[in-house]
Coordinates of all heavy atoms in Angstrom, one line a residue:
A933 N 84.7 119.7 101.0 CA 85.9 120.5 100.8 C 85.8 121.4 99.5 O 86.3 122.5 99.5 CB 87.1 119.6 100.7
R934 N 85.2 120.8 98.4 CA 85.1 121.6 97.2 C 84.2 122.8 97.5 O 84.6 123.9 96.9 CB 84.6 120.8 96.1 CG 84.4 121.4 94.8 CD 85.6 121.8 94.1 NE 86.4 120.6 93.7 CZ 87.6 120.7 93.3 NH1 88.3 121.7 93.3 NH2 88.3 119.5 93.0
L935 N 83.2 122.7 98.2 CA 82.3 123.9 98.5 C 83.1 124.9 99.3 O 82.9 126.1 99.1 CB 81.1 123.5 99.2 CG 80.0 122.8 98.4 CD1 78.8 122.3 99.3 CD2 79.4 123.8 97.4
A936 N 83.9 124.5 100.2 CA 84.7 125.4 101.0 C 85.7 126.2 100.1 O 85.9 127.4 100.2 CB 85.4 124.7 102.1
E937 N 86.2 125.4 99.2 CA 87.2 126.0 98.2 C 86.6 127.1 97.3 O 87.1 128.2 97.1 CB 87.8 124.9 97.4 CG 88.8 125.4 96.3 CD 89.4 124.3 95.5 OE1 88.6 123.4 95.1 OE2 90.6 124.3 95.2
V938 N 85.4 126.7 96.8 CA 84.7 127.6 95.9 C 84.1 128.8 96.5 O 84.2 130.0 96.1 CB 83.6 126.8 95.1 CG1 82.8 127.8 94.2 CG2 84.3 125.8 94.2
T939 N 83.4 128.6 97.7 CA 82.6 129.7 98.3 C 83.5 130.4 99.4 O 83.1 131.5 99.8 CB 81.4 129.2 99.0 OG1 81.8 128.3 100.1 CG2 80.5 128.4 98.0
R940 N 84.5 129.8 99.9 CA 85.3 130.4 101.0 C 84.4 130.6 102.3 O 84.7 131.4 103.1 CB 86.0 131.7 100.7 CG 86.9 131.6 99.6 CD 88.1 130.8 100.0 NE 89.0 130.8 98.8 CZ 90.0 130.0 98.7 NH1 90.2 129.0 99.6 NH2 90.8 130.0 97.7
N941 N 83.3 129.7 102.4 CA 82.4 129.7 103.4 C 83.0 128.9 104.6 O 83.3 127.7 104.4 CB 81.1 129.2 103.0 CG 80.0 129.3 104.0 OD1 80.2 128.8 105.2 ND2 78.9 129.8 103.7
Q942 N 83.1 129.5 105.8 CA 83.7 128.8 106.9 C 82.9 127.6 107.4 O 83.5 126.6 107.8 CB 83.8 129.8 108.1 CG 84.6 129.2 109.3 CD 86.0 128.9 109.0 OE1 86.7 129.7 108.3 NE2 86.5 127.7 109.5
T943 N 81.6 127.6 107.2 CA 80.8 126.5 107.6 C 81.2 125.2 106.8 O 81.3 124.2 107.3 CB 79.3 126.8 107.3 OG1 79.0 127.9 108.2 CG2 78.4 125.6 107.7
Y944 N 81.4 125.4 105.5 CA 81.8 124.3 104.6 C 83.2 123.8 105.0 O 83.6 122.6 105.0 CB 81.8 124.6 103.2 CG 80.4 124.9 102.6 CD1 80.1 126.1 101.9 CD2 79.3 124.1 102.9 CE1 78.9 126.4 101.4 CE2 78.1 124.3 102.4 CZ 77.9 125.5 101.7 OH 76.6 125.7 101.2
L945 N 84.1 124.7 105.3 CA 85.4 124.3 105.8 C 85.4 123.6 107.1 O 86.1 122.6 107.3 CB 86.4 125.6 105.9 CG 87.8 125.3 106.3 CD1 88.5 124.4 105.3 CD2 88.6 126.6 106.4
D946 N 84.6 124.0 108.0 CA 84.4 123.3 109.3 C 83.9 121.9 109.1 O 84.4 121.0 109.7 CB 83.5 124.1 110.2 CG 84.0 125.4 110.7 OD1 85.2 125.7 110.6 OD2 83.2 126.2 111.2
A947 N 83.0 121.8 108.2 CA 82.4 120.4 107.9 C 83.5 119.6 107.2 O 83.6 118.3 107.5 CB 81.2 120.5 107.0
A948 N 84.3 120.1 106.3 CA 85.3 119.3 105.7 C 86.4 118.9 106.7 O 86.9 117.8 106.7 CB 86.0 120.2 104.6
E949 N 86.8 119.8 107.6 CA 87.7 119.4 108.7 C 87.2 118.3 109.6 O 87.9 117.4 110.0 CB 88.2 120.6 109.5 CG 89.1 121.5 108.6 CD 89.6 122.7 109.4 OE1 88.8 123.6 109.7 OE2 90.8 122.7 109.6
L950 N 85.9 118.4 110.0 CA 85.2 117.3 110.7 C 85.3 116.0 110.0 O 85.5 114.9 110.6 CB 83.8 117.7 111.1 CG 83.6 118.7 112.2 CD1 82.2 119.2 112.3 CD2 84.2 118.2 113.5
S951 N 85.1 116.1 108.7 CA 85.1 114.8 107.8 C 86.5 114.2 107.9 O 86.7 113.0 107.9 CB 84.7 115.2 106.4 OG 83.4 115.6 106.4
I952 N 87.5 115.1 107.8 CA 88.9 114.6 107.9 C 89.1 113.9 109.2 O 89.7 112.8 109.2 CB 89.9 115.7 107.6 CG1 89.9 116.2 106.2 CG2 91.3 115.3 108.0 CD1 90.6 117.5 105.9
R953 N 88.7 114.5 110.3 CA 88.9 113.9 111.6 C 88.2 112.5 111.7 O 88.7 111.6 112.3 CB 88.5 114.8 112.7 CG 89.5 115.9 113.0 CD 89.3 116.6 114.3 NE 88.1 117.4 114.3 CZ 88.1 118.7 114.0 NH1 89.2 119.2 113.5 NH2 87.0 119.4 114.0
F954 N 87.0 112.5 111.1 CA 86.2 111.2 111.1 C 86.9 110.1 110.3 O 87.1 109.0 110.8 CB 84.8 111.4 110.5 CG 84.0 110.1 110.4 CD1 83.3 109.6 111.6 CD2 84.0 109.3 109.3 CE1 82.7 108.4 111.5 CE2 83.3 108.2 109.2 CZ 82.7 107.7 110.3
M955 N 87.5 110.5 109.2 CA 88.2 109.6 108.4 C 89.5 109.1 109.2 O 89.8 107.9 109.2 CB 88.7 110.2 107.1 CG 87.5 110.5 106.1 SD 86.7 109.0 105.5 CE 88.0 108.3 104.5
Q956 N 90.2 110.0 109.8 CA 91.4 109.6 110.6 C 91.0 108.6 111.7 O 91.7 107.7 111.9 CB 92.0 110.9 111.2 CG 92.9 111.6 110.3 CD 93.5 112.7 111.1 OE1 92.9 113.6 111.6 NE2 94.8 112.6 111.3
N957 N 90.0 108.9 112.4 CA 89.6 108.2 113.6 C 88.8 106.8 113.3 O 88.9 106.0 114.1 CB 88.8 109.0 114.6 CG 89.6 110.2 115.1 OD1 90.8 110.1 115.3 ND2 88.9 111.3 115.3
H958 N 88.1 106.8 112.2 CA 87.2 105.7 112.0 C 87.4 104.9 110.6 O 87.0 103.8 110.5 CB 85.8 106.1 112.1 CG 85.5 106.7 113.4 ND1 85.4 106.0 114.6 CD2 85.2 108.0 113.8 CE1 85.1 106.7 115.6 NE2 84.9 108.0 115.1
M959 N 87.9 105.6 109.6 CA 88.0 104.9 108.3 C 89.3 104.5 107.8 O 89.4 103.8 106.8 CB 87.3 105.9 107.3 CG 85.8 106.2 107.6 SD 84.8 104.8 107.8 CE 84.6 104.4 106.0
L960 N 90.4 105.0 108.4 CA 91.8 104.5 108.1 C 92.1 103.3 108.9 O 92.0 103.4 110.1 CB 92.8 105.7 108.2 CG 92.6 106.8 107.3 CD1 93.7 107.9 107.6 CD2 92.8 106.4 105.9
D961 N 92.5 102.3 108.3 CA 93.0 101.1 109.0 C 94.1 101.4 109.9 O 95.2 101.9 109.5 CB 93.5 100.0 108.0 CG 93.7 98.7 108.6 OD1 94.0 98.6 109.8 OD2 93.6 97.7 107.9
P962 N 94.0 101.2 111.2 CA 95.0 101.5 112.2 C 96.3 100.8 112.0 O 97.4 101.2 112.3 CB 94.4 101.2 113.6 CG 93.3 100.2 113.3 CD 92.8 100.5 111.9
D963 N 96.2 99.6 111.3 CA 97.4 98.8 111.1 C 98.2 99.3 109.8 O 99.3 99.1 109.7 CB 97.1 97.4 111.0 CG 96.5 96.8 112.3 OD1 97.0 97.3 113.4 OD2 95.7 96.0 112.2
E964 N 97.4 99.8 108.9 CA 97.9 100.4 107.6 C 97.2 101.7 107.2 O 96.1 101.6 106.7 CB 97.7 99.4 106.5 CG 98.3 98.0 106.6 CD 98.1 97.1 105.5 OE1 98.2 97.6 104.4 OE2 97.7 96.0 105.7
N965 N 97.8 102.8 107.6 CA 97.2 104.1 107.4 C 96.8 104.4 105.9 O 96.2 105.4 105.7 CB 98.0 105.2 108.0 CG 97.9 105.3 109.5 OD1 96.8 104.9 110.0 ND2 98.9 105.8 110.1
S966 N 97.3 103.6 105.0 CA 97.0 103.8 103.6 C 95.7 103.1 103.1 O 95.4 103.2 101.9 CB 98.2 103.4 102.7 OG 98.4 102.0 102.9
V967 N 95.1 102.4 104.0 CA 93.9 101.6 103.6 C 92.6 102.2 104.2 O 92.5 102.4 105.4 CB 94.0 100.1 104.1 CG1 92.7 99.3 103.7 CG2 95.2 99.4 103.5
V968 N 91.7 102.6 103.3 CA 90.5 103.2 103.7 C 89.4 102.1 103.8 O 89.3 101.3 102.9 CB 90.0 104.3 102.7 CG1 88.7 104.9 103.1 CG2 91.1 105.4 102.7
A969 N 88.6 102.2 104.9 CA 87.6 101.2 105.1 C 86.5 101.3 104.0 O 86.2 102.4 103.4 CB 86.8 101.4 106.4
D970 N 86.0 100.2 103.6 CA 85.0 100.1 102.5 C 83.6 100.5 103.1 O 82.7 100.9 102.3 CB 84.9 98.7 102.0 CG 83.9 98.5 100.9 OD1 84.0 99.4 100.0 OD2 83.2 97.5 100.8
G971 N 83.3 100.5 104.3 CA 82.0 100.9 104.9 C 82.1 101.1 106.4 O 83.2 100.9 107.0
F972 N 81.1 101.6 106.9 CA 81.0 101.9 108.4 C 79.7 101.5 108.9 O 78.6 102.0 108.4 CB 81.3 103.4 108.6 CG 81.5 103.8 110.0 CD1 82.6 103.5 110.8 CD2 80.4 104.4 110.7 CE1 82.8 103.8 112.1 CE2 80.6 104.7 112.1 CZ 81.7 104.4 112.7
D973 N 79.6 100.7 109.9 CA 78.3 100.3 110.6 C 78.1 101.3 111.7 O 78.8 101.1 112.8 CB 78.5 98.9 111.0 CG 77.2 98.5 111.8 OD1 76.2 99.2 111.9 OD2 77.2 97.3 112.3
A974 N 77.3 102.3 111.6 CA 77.0 103.3 112.6 C 76.4 102.7 113.9 O 76.7 103.2 115.0 CB 76.2 104.4 112.1
S975 N 75.6 101.7 113.7 CA 74.9 101.1 114.9 C 76.0 100.4 115.8 O 75.8 100.4 117.0 CB 73.8 100.1 114.5 OG 74.3 99.0 113.7
G976 N 77.0 99.8 115.2 CA 78.0 99.1 116.0 C 79.3 99.9 116.1 O 80.3 99.5 116.7
C977 N 79.3 101.1 115.4 CA 80.6 101.9 115.3 C 81.8 101.1 115.0 O 82.8 101.1 115.6 CB 80.8 102.6 116.7 SG 81.9 104.0 116.6
V978 N 81.6 100.3 113.8 CA 82.7 99.5 113.4 C 82.9 99.7 111.9 O 82.0 99.8 111.1 CB 82.2 98.0 113.5 CG1 83.3 97.0 113.0 CG2 82.0 97.7 115.0
S979 N 84.2 99.8 111.5 CA 84.6 100.0 110.1 C 84.8 98.6 109.5 O 85.2 97.7 110.1 CB 85.9 100.8 110.0 OG 85.7 102.1 110.6
N980 N 84.6 98.6 108.1 CA 84.8 97.3 107.4 C 86.0 97.5 106.5 O 86.0 98.3 105.5 CB 83.6 97.1 106.5 CG 83.7 95.9 105.7 OD1 84.7 95.1 105.8 ND2 82.8 95.7 104.7
Y981 N 87.1 96.8 106.7 CA 88.3 96.9 105.9 C 88.4 95.7 105.0 O 89.4 95.6 104.3 CB 89.5 96.9 106.8 CG 89.5 98.1 107.8 CD1 89.3 97.9 109.1 CD2 89.8 99.4 107.3 CE1 89.3 99.0 110.0 CE2 89.8 100.5 108.2 CZ 89.6 100.3 109.5 OH 89.6 101.4 110.3
S982 N 87.5 94.8 105.0 CA 87.6 93.5 104.3 C 87.7 93.7 102.7 O 88.4 92.9 102.1 CB 86.5 92.6 104.6 OG 85.3 93.1 104.2
T983 N 87.0 94.7 102.2 CA 87.0 94.8 100.7 C 87.4 96.2 100.3 O 86.9 96.7 99.3 CB 85.6 94.5 100.2 OG1 84.7 95.4 100.8 CG2 85.2 93.1 100.5
S984 N 88.3 96.8 101.0 CA 88.8 98.1 100.7 C 89.4 98.2 99.2 O 90.2 97.3 98.9 CB 89.8 98.6 101.7 OG 90.1 100.0 101.4
I985 N 89.1 99.2 98.5 CA 89.5 99.3 97.1 C 90.4 100.6 97.0 O 90.1 101.6 97.6 CB 88.4 99.4 96.1 CG1 87.5 98.1 96.3 CG2 88.9 99.6 94.7 CD1 86.2 98.2 95.6
T986 N 91.4 100.6 96.3 CA 92.4 101.7 96.2 C 91.6 103.0 95.8 O 92.0 104.1 96.4 CB 93.5 101.4 95.1 OG1 94.0 100.2 95.4 CG2 94.5 102.5 95.1
W987 N 90.7 103.0 94.9 CA 90.0 104.3 94.5 C 89.3 104.9 95.7 O 89.1 106.1 95.6 CB 89.1 104.0 93.3 CG 87.9 103.2 93.6 CD1 87.7 101.8 93.4 CD2 86.6 103.6 94.2 NE1 86.5 101.4 93.8 CE2 85.8 102.5 94.3 CE3 86.2 104.8 94.6 CZ2 84.5 102.6 94.8 CZ3 84.9 104.9 95.2 CH2 84.1 103.7 95.2
E988 N 89.0 104.3 96.7 CA 88.3 104.8 97.8 C 89.2 105.8 98.6 O 88.7 106.7 99.2 CB 87.8 103.7 98.8 CG 86.7 102.9 98.2 CD 86.4 101.7 99.0 OE1 87.2 101.2 99.7 OE2 85.3 101.2 98.8
L989 N 90.5 105.6 98.5 CA 91.4 106.6 99.1 C 91.5 107.9 98.3 O 91.8 108.9 98.9 CB 92.8 105.9 99.2 CG 93.9 106.7 100.0 CD1 93.4 106.9 101.4 CD2 95.2 105.8 99.9
G990 N 91.2 107.9 97.0 CA 91.3 109.1 96.2 C 90.4 110.2 96.7 O 90.9 111.4 96.7
T991 N 89.2 110.0 97.0 CA 88.3 111.1 97.4 C 88.8 111.7 98.8 O 88.7 112.9 99.0 CB 86.9 110.6 97.6 OG1 86.8 109.5 98.4 CG2 86.3 110.3 96.2
F992 N 89.4 110.8 99.6 CA 89.9 111.3 100.9 C 91.1 112.2 100.6 O 91.2 113.3 101.2 CB 90.3 110.2 101.8 CG 91.0 110.6 103.1 CD1 90.3 111.4 104.0 CD2 92.3 110.2 103.3 CE1 91.0 111.7 105.2 CE2 92.9 110.5 104.5 CZ 92.3 111.4 105.4
I993 N 92.0 111.8 99.7 CA 93.2 112.6 99.4 C 92.8 113.9 98.7 O 93.4 115.0 99.0 CB 94.1 111.8 98.4 CG1 94.7 110.6 99.2 CG2 95.2 112.7 97.9 CD1 95.5 109.7 98.3
E994 N 91.8 113.9 97.8 CA 91.4 115.1 97.2 C 90.8 116.1 98.2 O 91.3 117.3 98.2 CB 90.2 114.8 96.2 CG 89.7 116.1 95.5 CD 88.6 115.9 94.6 OE1 87.9 114.8 94.7 OE2 88.3 116.8 93.8
G995 N 89.9 115.7 99.1 CA 89.4 116.6 100.1 C 90.5 117.1 101.1 O 90.6 118.3 101.4
L996 N 91.4 116.2 101.4 CA 92.5 116.6 102.3 C 93.4 117.6 101.7 O 93.8 118.6 102.3 CB 93.3 115.3 102.7 CG 94.5 115.4 103.6 CD1 94.0 116.0 105.0 CD2 95.2 114.1 103.8
S997 N 93.7 117.4 100.4 CA 94.5 118.4 99.6 C 93.8 119.8 99.6 O 94.5 120.8 99.8 CB 94.7 117.8 98.2 OG 95.4 118.8 97.4
I998 N 92.6 119.8 99.3 CA 91.9 121.1 99.2 C 91.9 121.8 100.6 O 92.2 123.0 100.6 CB 90.4 120.9 98.8 CG1 90.3 120.4 97.3 CG2 89.5 122.1 99.0 CD1 89.0 119.9 96.9
V999 N 91.6 121.1 101.6 CA 91.6 121.7 103.0 C 93.0 122.1 103.3 O 93.2 123.2 103.9 CB 91.0 120.7 104.0 CG1 91.2 121.3 105.4 CG2 89.5 120.5 103.7
A1000 N 94.0 121.3 103.0 CA 95.4 121.7 103.3 C 95.8 123.0 102.5 O 96.4 123.9 103.1 CB 96.4 120.6 102.9
N1001 N 95.3 123.1 101.3 CA 95.6 124.4 100.5 C 94.9 125.6 101.1 O 95.5 126.7 101.1 CB 95.2 124.2 99.1 CG 96.3 123.3 98.3 OD1 97.4 123.3 98.7 ND2 95.7 122.6 97.3
I1002 N 93.7 125.4 101.5 CA 92.9 126.5 102.1 C 93.5 127.0 103.4 O 93.7 128.2 103.6 CB 91.4 126.1 102.3 CG1 90.8 125.9 100.9 CG2 90.7 127.2 103.0 CD1 89.4 125.3 101.0
T1003 N 93.7 126.0 104.3 CA 94.2 126.4 105.7 C 95.6 126.6 105.8 O 96.1 127.2 106.8 CB 93.7 125.2 106.7 OG1 94.4 124.1 106.3 CG2 92.2 125.0 106.6
Q1004 N 96.5 126.0 104.9 CA 97.9 126.0 105.0 C 98.3 125.4 106.4 O 99.4 125.7 106.9 CB 98.4 127.5 104.9 CG 98.2 128.1 103.6 CD 98.9 127.4 102.4 OE1 100.1 127.2 102.5 NE2 98.1 127.0 101.5
N1005 N 97.6 124.5 106.8 CA 97.8 123.8 108.0 C 98.8 122.6 107.8 O 98.5 121.7 107.0 CB 96.5 123.2 108.6 CG 96.7 122.5 110.0 OD1 97.7 122.0 110.3 ND2 95.6 122.5 110.8
Q1006 N 100.0 122.6 108.4 CA 101.0 121.6 108.2 C 100.5 120.2 108.5 O 101.0 119.2 108.0 CB 102.2 122.0 108.9 CG 102.9 123.2 108.4 CD 103.4 123.0 106.9 OE1 104.0 122.0 106.6 NE2 103.1 124.0 106.0
T1007 N 99.6 120.1 109.5 CA 99.1 118.8 109.9 C 98.5 118.1 108.7 O 98.7 116.9 108.5 CB 98.1 118.9 111.0 OG1 98.7 119.6 112.1 CG2 97.5 117.6 111.5
Y1008 N 97.7 118.8 107.9 CA 97.1 118.2 106.8 C 98.1 117.9 105.7 O 97.9 116.8 105.0 CB 96.0 119.1 106.2 CG 94.8 119.4 107.2 CD1 94.4 120.7 107.3 CD2 94.3 118.3 107.9 CE1 93.4 120.9 108.2 CE2 93.2 118.6 108.8 CZ 92.8 119.9 109.0 OH 91.7 120.1 109.8
T1009 N 99.0 118.6 105.5 CA 100.0 118.3 104.4 C 101.0 117.2 104.8 O 101.5 116.6 103.9 CB 100.9 119.6 104.1 OG1 101.6 120.0 105.3 CG2 100.1 120.7 103.6
Q1010 N 101.0 116.8 106.1 CA 101.8 115.7 106.5 C 101.1 114.4 106.6 O 101.7 113.4 106.9 CB 102.5 116.1 107.9 CG 103.5 117.2 107.7 CD 104.0 117.7 109.1 OE1 103.6 117.2 110.1 NE2 104.8 118.8 109.1
M1011 N 99.8 114.4 106.4 CA 99.1 113.1 106.5 C 99.4 112.2 105.5 O 99.5 112.4 104.4 CB 97.6 113.5 106.5 CG 97.1 113.9 107.9 SD 95.3 114.0 107.7 CE 95.0 114.9 109.2

């Protein structure tokens, strides 16, 4: 997201938006949308919520905020 913000390069913005969708679909606990998974097992396509730490949510919020500001997309500002 930071590269998209600095360069205004669409490729970086596309990658940031794909990252947001991945986080929504795989890394946010479906029971508690405020909990980010601590890890992801790609071979089993399973997220690990057992040891989630609050600071892990910070990088997601930062990227989401940058993309929301660039795109002015209300979907991102309402997450």
Side-chain angles (χ1 to χ4, degrees):
R934 181 67 68 194
L935 284 172
E937 179 182 42
V938 171
T939 65
R940 301 293 183 196
N941 183 309
Q942 186 63 42
T943 300
Y944 295 132
L945 181 57
D946 293 344
E949 290 184 288
L950 285 172
S951 295
I952 290 169
R953 282 197 290 272
F954 177 83
M955 290 295 292
Q956 277 185 293
N957 294 326
H958 301 290
M959 300 301 284
L960 292 178
D961 188 334
D963 297 324
E964 297 182 47
N965 281 334
S966 62
V967 177
V968 176
D970 185 43
F972 186 78
D973 177 7
S975 64
C977 198
V978 178
S979 301
N980 176 12
Y981 301 106
S982 63
T983 59
S984 186
I985 303 169
T986 307
W987 66 264
E988 293 169 336
L989 189 56
T991 54
F992 176 63
I993 292 171
E994 178 185 18
L996 184 60
S997 174
I998 291 169
V999 172
N1001 285 330
I1002 292 171
T1003 64
Q1004 296 298 304
N1005 184 332
Q1006 292 297 316
T1007 302
Y1008 296 135
T1009 59
Q1010 295 172 1
M1011 281 187 190

